[in-house]
Each structure stands twice: as structure tokens, then as C-alpha cells.
């Protein structure tokens, strides 16, 4: 059933659980967006001696934010299916 739509599986859950799941998803996405924005800002606004150091400072938070965004969606979908 991994390929089926969420609307076609099971019964409708209590809206409170769905809203709580969505709030958690949005909180994780806010965190991911803050990490991506912070990494980009650090790379653009901080003064470094070389481009390699700039990349070393900016890239980890950007990548972590991207991974967090993807992971948050996967968790949201898994929780919706479980409900």
C-alpha cells in the first residue's frame, strides 16, 4: 500500500491528530528553512580568507536543512498512514 493515496487508505482520523501531525511537520520545516537561510547568510555575509573556508562554513547547515525537510515530509506521511 505504499503507492496508494492517503485518502484511499483506512478511515478518517480525528482532526485533532491530523492537525497535531501537521503542526509538527511545519515546525520541522521552519527549522529546516532557518538552517538553510542561516547557512546561506553565513556564506554571504561573513568575511573569510578563502572560498574553501566559506564553503566549509555555509554548506553543512544548508545540507542539514535539506535533509531535515525531506525527513520531516517522510515522517509526516508515515504518521498520516498510521492514523
Amino acid at each position: 500500500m505504499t503507492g496508494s493515496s492517503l485518502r484511499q487508505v483506512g478511515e478518517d482520523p480525528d482532526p485533532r491528530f491530523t492537525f497535531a501531525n501537521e503542526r509538527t511537520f511545519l515546525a520541522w520545516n521552519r527549522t529546516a528553512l532557518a538552517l538553510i537561510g542561516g547557512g546561506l547568510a553565513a556564506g554571504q555575509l561573513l568575511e573569510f580568507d578563502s572560498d574553501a573556508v566559506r564553503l566549509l562554513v555555509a554548506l553543512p547547515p544548508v545540507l542539514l536543512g535539506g535533509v531535515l525537510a525531506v525527513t520531516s515530509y517522510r515522517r509526516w506521511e508515515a504518521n498520516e498512514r498510521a492514523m
Side-chain angles (χ1 to χ4, degrees):
M1 284 192 200
T2 57
S4 63
S5 172
L6 287 176
R7 302 282 180 224
Q8 297 174 353
V9 178
E11 300 174 3
D12 287 337
D14 187 345
R16 293 175 293 178
F17 299 125
T18 301
F19 292 146
N21 190 31
E22 186 174 354
R23 282 191 306 271
T24 304
F25 169 68
L26 293 173
W28 281 102
N29 274 335
R30 281 192 304 270
T31 303
L33 187 59
L35 281 167
I36 293 170
L40 290 174
Q44 292 294 315
L45 301 176
L46 296 177
E47 296 289 330
F48 295 106
D49 293 336
S50 71
D51 287 338
V53 175
R54 179 184 305 256
L55 189 62
L56 190 64
V57 168
L59 199 56
V62 170
L63 291 177
L64 184 61
V67 168
L68 189 61
V70 170
T71 303
S72 69
Y73 176 77
R74 293 181 68 196
R75 287 185 54 116
W76 171 83
E77 186 176 31
N79 289 337
E80 282 291 310
R81 286 191 186 281
M83 286 191 283

